[in-house]
Amino acid sequence: MNLRGIVAVAGKPGLWKALAQNKTGFILESLDAQKTKLVANLSTAKIAALDEITIFGDEEDIRLVDVFERMKAAKNVPDAKADGKVLRQLFRETAPGH
């Protein structure tokens, strides 16, 4: 799974794809159907790249990319609107020791 160039911007809904970078920030495009463009200034916007996000673990940090890979390989993946208990159980199975 390649999450390189996919970012989350604080205060903006959804995920964004980094199209280009200049001295002051990034030019981003939303991943939804509207394909909205956004210029995110590094001095004012908080940007988190999905391929760099980790989850605290008991022994060591767990990369979000690894959790997504395990979810993709899981046999019984519930619907995103399933009961919270079912979704938590999937997360416990794919990110043990978090």
Side-chain angles (χ1 to χ4, degrees), residues 19-84:
L19 298 177
Q21 181 178 6
N22 60 19
K23 290 188 283 186
T24 60
F26 290 94
I27 299 171
L28 306 173
E29 179 181 66
S30 65
L31 292 181
D32 61 8
Q34 297 167 344
K35 300 294 181 191
T36 308
K37 301 281 194 287
L38 170 71
V39 177
N41 190 330
L42 289 176
S43 64
T44 58
K46 293 184 181 181
I47 299 174
L50 261 58
D51 63 345
E52 295 176 3
I53 293 176
T54 58
I55 301 167
F56 291 117
D58 293 335
E59 309 262 330
E60 59 185 29
D61 291 346
I62 305 165
R63 293 180 16 182
L64 183 62
V65 175
D66 296 339
V67 174
F68 285 158
E69 287 293 336
R70 291 183 204 136
M71 284 182 177
K72 185 178 175 183
K75 295 181 185 189
N76 297 327
V77 178
D79 185 63
K81 294 184 180 184
D83 182 47

